[in-house]
Structure formats: C-alpha cells, structure tokens
Amino acid sequence: MRQKTRTLLLAGILASLVISNSKLINAADLETTDQENVDIEIENENPETEIILEQNFLYEEAESADDVGNNIVSGKCGENVEYELNLSTGAMRIYGSGAMDDYGWTDNYGMIRAPWIREEYDSGIISIKVEEGVTHIGNYAFYSGYSNKYCENVQSAEIAGTVETIGEDAFAFCNKLTLIKGAEGIKSIGKEAFSATSLTDFPWSDSLERIEDSAFSSNDFVEILMPSKVQLIGGKAFSNCKYLKVLSTSDNCEIKSNAFELCNALENVTIGSGCKIRGGTFRECSLLKNIFIGEGSTCISDANKDYTVGGIFKNCTSLQTILLPDSWRFYDDENGEETGAYILQFEGCTQLKDIRFQDTNNRYKVIDSVVFSKDGSTLIYYPLVLKAMEYEISDNVTKIGAFAFHDNENIENVFIPSSVKEIKTRAFGSCTKLKNVIIPEGMEELGIGIFSYCKNLNAVVIPPSVNKIDRNYKSSTATFGDAGLKVVYGEKDSYAQEFAGQTGYKFENTIYCSFDENGGNTNEKKKTVIYNDKYHKLPTPTRTGYKFLGWYTEKEAGEKIESDTIVSAKASHILYAHWEKEYLKGDVNDDGTVNILDLRIVLRNICGKVELTKQQIIIADVVMDGVIDIQDLRLELRFVCGKIQEL
C-alpha cells in the first residue's frame, strides 16, 4: 500500500512539473527521477507522513468507487468496517465487524479526518445507521466542529446493540441531531461525544457504565434518570443543559467537577447512595430548589484533575431544601478526612433555609436553621438566608467553624461568649456589614482570614489572652486582611498594642462597663463595650421584694442606660441598678403576709380610727376602685379564710 501510494503521489508531482516547466521529459529521465524521489522519501520517512499519505489514497479509492448514477460514496472506515453514503438521500450506513477507525479534527500531527469529511460531500449526511457487528464509533467520526460545515445536517442516528463504545467528539456540534435510537449495548460514551447537539432524550441502556467529560454538554434534556450501572459522570458532562429540570443518579457513582453546572432550569435532584461528588457539580444552577443526597455519599477533591475544588452548590440562588447524609462533611470537620472539596459549598445560596440530615445522622443538629455539631460545641454553618442583624452565640459553643458566617451580608453584630476558645479560618470572612467585634477572654490565637474583607469593620477588642494573630497582617490571608478595621482595643503593653503598632491601626485602652447592683445580685459584674457602639445586651439583676427599674449612670437619678443606648464614655465606667420596692396586695402592715392584722387596720381606717399612707391605700384597695371601703374588707376576708386564691 505504501509503495503504491508513493508511486501515485510521485506521478502527480511529476505531471505537475511537466506542465509548469513546459518541457518534455523522456522515459529514461522519468524513471531516474522517480527512483531518486523514492530514495529521498525512504530516507525522510516518518509514521505521521505515512498516515496522511494512506488517507489520501483512501480518498482516491473512495472516488473511484463512486457510482455516478446512484450518487453513492463508499469506502473503508475500519479494518473490517465500511461505510456507504447516499448523497441523494443523505443516508449513511456503517457496516461490517469490529471497531471503526478513530479520527482527528485536523489532518495534522498524525491525525486524519474521517473520509466523508470533504468539501464535495459538504453537509449531505442526514441520517446515520450503525449496523450490527460494529463495536465502536470512532473519535471525531461525525464531528461538526470544522467551522460547523460538515455533518451539520445530521438529524438522527440508529446505533446497533453491538456498539459498546462511542469515541470522543463522535457527534460533537451536530446541532440538528435530535434523535438517537437503539444503543442498548453502550458501555462508554467518550469526551464531548454529543456535545452541543439538540438531544432531548437518550436511550440510556442498562449496560452504560461511563459518561466522560462534556459528553452531553449543551443539550436539550428535560429529565435524566441514570441507569443503575453508571459508575462515572465526567466533568461538565451535562453542563449548560438549559432545559434540564429533573435529575436522578445511580448509586456508587463518581460525579466529576462541574458535571451539571449552568443547568439553569434544574429544580429537583436526587443523588444516589455511596456516590463521590466533586467540586462545582451544581455551580450556577439558579433554579435548583431541592436536592436529596443518599447515605454514604461524599464530596471529594483532586486539585490536579478537577476543574474546580469546592463550591459544589455555588450560586444556587433558589436552593431552599437539602437533605444530607451522615457521611457529608463541612469544611471544618477535623476527622482526618479531606474536606477541601466542601469549601464554600453553599456560597451564594441566599435562599437555603431548610438543611436536613438523614435519620441515621449522629454528626450534626440544626437549631433555628443554624447547623451545629451533634453535641452543640461547634457552630458549623450560619445560612445566608437569615436576615437578623445580630446573633448571640450560645454559651455551650466552644468553637466557631471555618467559613461559618462567610459572605453573610446582613449580620452587623455577633456576640461571642467566653466559652468560645477557637475561631477557624475565614469564619467571618466577607461579612460586609459586620461593624465591631469583641473577642472573648480565653482566646489565644486569631488565624487566617477570620475577618478578611469585612469592609465595614470598625473596631475589635483583643483580650490579654490572645498572643498570636496571623503574621501577614494586612495581606488577603491575614486575620484582618482587606478589612476596614480602624481601632484596636486592648490592655496597655499587651500583644494587642504591639499588633496595632506593627500594622498601623489606632490603639485604645479597653473600655469596661462595671455593674453596681445596689443591693441586688447579678452574675455579670462587668462587660466590654466599644465607644460609639450600642451597649447591647445588659444583665438583669434580682433583689427579693424589689422590682428592677434599669441601669443608670448615677446611684440616684442619672441617665437610664438601655441595650440600644450608644456608648458615649471613652473610658471605663460604672452603671447602677435602680429598684422599686414591690408590695403584696392587701399586706397593709408590710410583714410579707395578708392576715387578720391587715384586716384590722383596714377596718379601723373605714371606721375613721386610723389614717393610711398613700402607699398603704394602694395596697389596701384590692378592689381597685380608688377608695377603701367594706368591699375591700370583704374581699380580703375571703382571701384570709381561703375562699379565694389571690387578691
């Protein structure tokens, strides 16, 4: 074959030379020249050149086989596979036994186009029938990406049950392809095999095991119910399927990165049990509302192979309900397993309010939509949908997880209790409305990006216990990287003061507000406040026999201070409790009980024997009609005799 090809090629070259030079070459010269060229070619021979030469010869054979009357084109497309194309009807047959040849998208670097991808055939193929006996459809066999010129009119393909594999880009960009029939024996569908076609359905066979990267990207599916044996759904396999609404996958399936990204009509998803899901899988599925993930399924990462690590549900802005298995992770889990794939998994999920877990769950619990560890010691995820401007973390929380409040655009104040000893990476990163933060005593370290990109952060109070803050200072990975921080509060000669000096933040002494209970009792003796911020939550003291009236700036009189009062003092100060004595109705003699002695005083007053004080009149007027008379006496007597339970 190669010698025949060389002879044909050289004959063509010599004929061109004769014409272009307008001179005759005798037979002896021709024979000598032919031998010299053969010798040169043998010397410069390489496999890529041979493949291209053989392909050119196949073209010549195909042309010689044309039936001009019937307009039939035929030839080989595999060792034992042939094709027949009727240019009048646009019908193509692929028949024989075994695999079709694999082709390339260009006639360079050893790749060759399919023999029917030619100018003279243009876009004449309308239907394709791959007959019994054929086992493989070649790479780029009907690729319509050559300037969208060839195979652009293919509308349907019938694939025999003997076909087990479809090569990469086999039907890519055949944007009029709407129907695939048969294909009941398919095991593997190659990369971009049906990318940018117009399929609304596919005959998913029970034998199907692998769907490679971008195999069905940009198609017109409405519903996909994966058969049970599918083991792999490749990266971007169904990306940008803009009409897809319902998806259900098989069990034990690996779903690679961005597999269903940009499916903007997708609403409901069910992921099987034991699946491995990679980052970005549902990125930008803006109408996705409900997703249910089977038991044993996890999200995994492989930074060297994935398109994206993390952000599995990124910008699913309509997502409301998600059911997660016990095997699921959040970025902060510390169990020795890789959790990078879970980073920012709900970024941009502004409507997610119903996070559920399987009944077998022993890892998490949800309180008011906030996800905690099962024992409540770690705050794991605070959903973006929560609109509260303030949030008080409960006293049994000891750790705030990585990215727990990240990207929340509503929260202005978070109250961190003294029980918290650890705040993980970027826990409050990009909380753009967060204003002031008081770090509780007992914290020792502030790590990477905890308050990064908090553009409105004004002040932070750093207690003496803190002895380490991310040393990048104002870089993007620093604790306060790219934040709007202006003032650092701390103790004199503390690490906080050193930190402020090194980073250029203004340093102020910590402002303490102490509480004088004034005869009462409270467990909170003082709290840290920030100048020009609210006092926020104030303690409520107790005192037997007295009603608490509030906190005041003076022991007597003074300005009343409430939770929303702005702190005007720039230094530590004291607030005083004010009280009002509480009286028992009917207890005229103020001995703590209502008895016959009180009745006697009321009777003597009615008879004009004694005068009552203003306070005694209020207490004795149990009928509450403004006067002390026999009605009050009768009601008190009934109470003393046990006829009524209260006055």
Side-chain angles (χ1 to χ4, degrees):
M1 171 64 77
R2 292 177 182 169
Q3 184 60 44
K4 182 179 180 181
T5 301
R6 294 191 188 101
T7 304
L8 288 171
L9 180 62
L10 290 170
I13 294 171
L14 291 171
S16 298
L17 289 172
V18 170
I19 296 170
S20 61
N21 291 292
S22 301
K23 66 179 182 179
L24 296 176
I25 301 176
N26 61 40
D29 292 336
L30 179 60
E31 184 175 343
T32 302
T33 305
D34 182 57
Q35 184 59 48
E36 288 174 353
N37 279 284
V38 169
D39 292 339
I40 292 170
E41 184 157 355
I42 291 172
E43 187 177 325
N44 296 303
E45 182 178 301
N46 67 73
E48 293 179 0
T49 305
E50 289 184 4
I51 292 172
I52 295 173
L53 291 173
E54 288 180 6
Q55 180 64 20
N56 287 333
F57 182 69
L58 288 175
Y59 285 165
E60 297 297 328
E61 283 187 329
E63 286 183 345
S64 65
D66 284 0
D67 184 324
V68 178
N70 295 322
N71 213 13
I72 300 295
V73 177
S74 62
K76 293 177 66 66
C77 57
E79 185 175 355
N80 297 305
V81 182
E82 298 184 33
Y83 72 92
E84 181 179 276
L85 170 60
N86 187 325
L87 295 176
S88 297
T89 63
M92 171 177 268
R93 294 174 58 217
I94 305 291
Y95 59 95
S97 62
M100 285 179 63
D101 287 335
D102 286 324
Y103 302 103
W105 60 274
T106 180
D107 290 336
N108 290 317
Y109 308 108
M111 294 187 292
I112 54 175
R113 298 182 184 183
W116 47 84
I117 305 298
R118 304 182 64 185
E119 289 287 346
E120 52 267 45
Y121 303 158
D122 199 9
S123 53
I125 304 173
I126 296 175
S127 65
I128 300 165
K129 183 176 182 179
V130 182
E131 298 183 359
E132 290 290 327
V134 178
T135 59
H136 169 70
I137 297 176
N139 297 346
Y140 291 89
F142 305 102
Y143 177 67
S144 186
Y146 307 102
S147 302
N148 291 324
K149 185 173 184 180
Y150 307 102
C151 299
E152 64 179 350
N153 289 319
V154 173
Q155 298 175 16
S156 65
E158 183 176 348
I159 302 173
T162 55
V163 175
E164 295 184 352
T165 57
I166 299 177
E168 64 179 81
D169 287 272
F171 296 89
F173 296 97
C174 293
N175 54 30
K176 293 181 182 178
L177 178 60
T178 59
L179 178 63
I180 301 290
K181 295 192 295 182
E184 63 270 16
I186 299 295
K187 292 183 178 180
S188 176
I189 299 174
K191 293 180 180 180
E192 301 189 48
F194 294 94
S195 177
T197 59
S198 297
L199 295 174
T200 58
D201 197 7
F202 191 85
W204 308 108
S205 70
D206 290 337
S207 59
L208 184 61
E209 297 175 357
R210 298 180 65 86
I211 301 171
E212 301 291 350
D213 295 356
S214 302
F216 291 96
S217 62
S218 300
N219 270 271
D220 295 342
F221 298 111
V222 175
E223 180 179 60
I224 297 175
L225 304 177
M226 285 291 166
S228 61
K229 291 184 181 179
V230 173
Q231 300 171 5
L232 174 72
I233 299 175
K236 299 190 177 183
F238 295 90
S239 66
N240 200 36
C241 289
K242 55 184 179 295
Y243 302 113
L244 180 61
K245 289 187 175 182
V246 178
L247 167 68
S248 179
T249 76
S250 58
D251 295 337
N252 304 310
C253 178
E254 181 179 351
I255 305 173
K256 295 182 70 176
S257 295
N258 304 77
F260 298 94
E261 69 173 357
L262 297 169
C263 292
N264 291 324
L266 188 59
E267 295 182 359
N268 298 291
V269 172
T270 301
I271 301 295
S273 299
C275 293
K276 294 180 179 179
I277 310 168
R278 296 187 185 272
T281 299
F282 298 101
R283 186 180 68 87
E284 306 283 350
C285 292
S286 57
L287 291 184
L288 180 58
K289 295 180 180 178
N290 306 294
I291 183 165
F292 301 93
I293 300 178
E295 193 60 65
S297 291
T298 58
C299 191
I300 61 175
S301 64
D302 185 346
N304 296 323
K305 296 180 180 179
D306 284 359
Y307 297 108
T308 302
V309 175
I312 182 172
F313 308 109
K314 183 176 180 179
N315 292 336
C316 292
T317 53
S318 298
L319 184 60
Q320 298 178 5
T321 301
I322 185 166
L323 176 65
L324 298 173
D326 190 31
S327 53
W328 203 254
R329 299 289 184 268
F330 285 79
Y331 184 69
D332 190 56
D333 282 351
E334 293 184 346
N335 53 7
E337 296 184 22
E338 174 59 55
T339 56
Y342 297 90
I343 188 171
L344 295 174
Q345 58 183 301
F346 298 121
E347 182 181 10
C349 296
T350 54
Q351 300 302 314
L352 181 59
K353 59 184 177 181
D354 188 8
I355 300 177
R356 306 175 187 175
F357 296 93
Q358 301 281 5
D359 294 338
T360 55
N361 161 62
N362 59 13
R363 186 180 299 275
Y364 309 112
K365 67 178 179 181
V366 179
I367 302 174
D368 297 329
S369 297
V370 181
V371 180
F372 294 85
S373 59
K374 193 73 171 182
D375 63 2
S377 64
T378 302
L379 192 158
I380 292 175
Y381 177 64
Y382 185 91
L384 301 180
V385 71
L386 299 179
K387 304 299 183 184
M389 293 186 292
E390 297 184 347
Y391 182 71
E392 183 176 359
I393 299 173
S394 62
D395 289 338
N396 62 328
V397 172
T398 61
K399 182 172 71 174
I400 300 172
F403 296 89
F405 291 85
H406 194 277
D407 254 356
N408 190 289
E409 296 182 351
N410 300 308
I411 202 154
E412 296 181 7
N413 294 285
V414 176
F415 305 109
I416 306 172
S418 58
S419 59
V420 172
K421 304 302 180 187
E422 188 177 10
I423 303 176
K424 301 293 285 185
T425 301
R426 302 189 191 278
F428 297 95
S430 299
C431 290
T432 53
K433 289 188 178 180
L434 190 63
K435 293 180 178 179
N436 300 299
V437 176
I438 298 174
I439 305 298
E441 180 64 40
M443 284 280 296
E444 296 182 357
E445 180 179 350
L446 300 178
I448 295 175
I450 293 176
F451 300 103
S452 60
Y453 299 100
C454 293
K455 297 298 185 182
N456 284 308
L457 184 63
N458 173 62
V460 61
V461 179
I462 301 175
S465 59
V466 171
N467 54 43
K468 184 178 180 181
I469 298 176
D470 186 88
R471 287 295 181 177
N472 287 313
Y473 294 122
K474 290 188 177 183
S475 74
S476 59
T477 61
T479 300
F480 301 101
D482 290 305
L485 182 62
K486 298 178 179 64
V487 183
V488 172
Y489 286 90
E491 301 293 333
K492 186 178 179 181
D493 298 326
S494 66
Y495 178 81
Q497 185 172 11
E498 176 189 338
F499 172 73
Q502 290 176 333
T503 54
Y505 297 123
K506 182 180 180 182
F507 178 77
E508 297 284 355
N509 290 322
T510 301
I511 303 173
Y512 294 104
C513 171
S514 300
F515 300 104
D516 185 333
E517 300 101 325
N518 196 14
N521 183 58
T522 179
N523 292 328
E524 188 175 356
K525 303 302 181 183
K526 70 176 182 179
K527 69 173 293 184
T528 304
V529 294
I530 295 174
Y531 172 71
N532 212 31
D533 190 15
K534 296 177 181 179
Y535 276 91
H536 299 295
K537 186 179 180 181
L538 295 170
T540 302
T542 58
R543 183 180 177 186
T544 303
Y546 288 83
K547 178 182 178 181
F548 177 61
L549 299 179
W551 295 103
Y552 288 78
T553 55
E554 303 292 339
K555 198 161 191 175
E556 301 292 337
E559 177 189 355
K560 187 175 183 179
I561 300 298
E562 299 187 87
S563 60
D564 60 353
T565 302
I566 301 298
V567 178
S568 58
K570 293 186 177 181
S572 296
H573 51 280
I574 301 173
L575 295 181
Y576 300 89
H578 283 197
W579 303 96
E580 177 182 270
K581 185 174 176 59
E582 290 184 328
Y583 294 94
L584 180 62
K585 206 69 174 173
D587 182 18
V588 183
N589 64 357
D590 193 25
D591 64 356
T593 62
V594 179
N595 53 34
I596 193 68
L597 297 176
D598 298 298
L599 294 175
R600 184 178 178 183
I601 294 172
V602 173
L603 178 60
R604 287 172 61 80
N605 174 260
I606 293 172
C607 296
K609 300 295 185 179
V610 296
E611 292 288 332
L612 299 179
T613 66
K614 184 176 181 180
Q615 186 64 47
Q616 285 178 316
I617 291 172
I618 294 172
I619 294 170
D621 183 17
V622 293
V623 178
M624 302 181 69
D625 60 359
V627 296
I628 308 300
D629 56 20
I630 195 66
Q631 300 298 326
D632 298 297
L633 185 63
R634 179 181 297 161
L635 194 60
E636 290 185 45
L637 179 60
R638 286 172 59 80
F639 176 77
V640 171
C641 294
K643 301 296 184 181
I644 59 176
Q645 299 302 311
E646 60 182 24
L647 291 173

